[in-house]
Amino acid sequence: MRLVLIISLILTSIVLSSSHATVYRWVDENGKVHYSDEPRENAETVELNQNTQNSISVRVPAEVDSNTKPAEAVTYRVRIVNPTQEETIRSNQGNFTVVASAAPELPNGYLLALYIDDILYGQPQSSAIFNVTEVNRGEHNLVVKILTQNGKVLASSSVRKIFLHQASILNKPRPTPRTE
């Protein structure tokens, strides 16, 4: 923090020196170094050289040819191909596959992310096939999103509702005794 303060004070003093202001330096009772444009007790004058001044040159952009069209923004679309809307999936382990389709083809660096019930499932990936494992039975909403590497959402599929059924050992049919 001290370094930032000192650098900013030095830069300020450089700007002030261009208007021929005098810069004073002193050390306080705690050993901190201070700079100011006002003289103080025990302050010494800081000599600034001409070569300490910075100059910045700005390039003027070339004129844009009126015949060239600006690059058109690409609109991406993504949809879930499989499973179908309100499909019932029977899997005791809670495993199923989600297949998505994106158009136009995604350039390198763009990722697809699967959300199950508004929670990100796994890590975003470049593949459009998601192998889902160990999901509890019940109704679930699936959404696939196209993301940039910094996480910006470019497109999102519509919500796909599915039903996951798992056989339960508790619902196992029990033999009934015969009475004769």
Side-chain angles (χ1 to χ4, degrees), residues 54-150:
N54 296 328
S55 62
I56 299 173
S57 61
V58 179
R59 286 184 12 191
V60 178
E63 290 187 30
V64 178
D65 184 10
S66 61
N67 295 333
T68 56
K69 296 180 182 176
E72 295 180 19
V74 177
T75 302
Y76 291 99
R77 295 178 310 279
V78 62
R79 65 184 187 93
I80 298 174
V81 177
N82 189 36
T84 59
Q85 180 70 8
E86 297 188 358
E87 180 176 336
T88 298
I89 299 170
R90 299 183 192 295
S91 172
N92 289 337
Q93 292 78 29
N95 302 341
F96 59 95
T97 302
V98 176
V99 179
S101 173
E105 185 176 330
L106 299 179
N108 289 338
Y110 285 18
L111 301 170
L112 295 168
L114 174 64
Y115 289 81
I116 300 176
D117 299 326
D118 295 325
I119 298 171
L120 177 63
Y121 180 84
Q123 293 295 318
Q125 61 188 36
S126 57
S127 172
I129 299 173
F130 298 89
N131 292 313
V132 180
T133 60
E134 299 178 1
V135 175
N136 291 329
R137 70 168 150 220
E139 177 183 313
H140 298 285
N141 293 315
L142 309 176
V143 173
V144 175
K145 296 180 181 180
I146 299 174
L147 307 174
T148 62
Q149 285 192 341
N150 64 2

Side-chain angles (χ1 to χ4, degrees), residues 17-30:
S17 70
S18 66
S19 63
H20 304 294
T22 305
V23 178
Y24 300 94
R25 176 187 182 272
W26 75 95
V27 180
D28 67 11
E29 61 276 357
N30 296 325

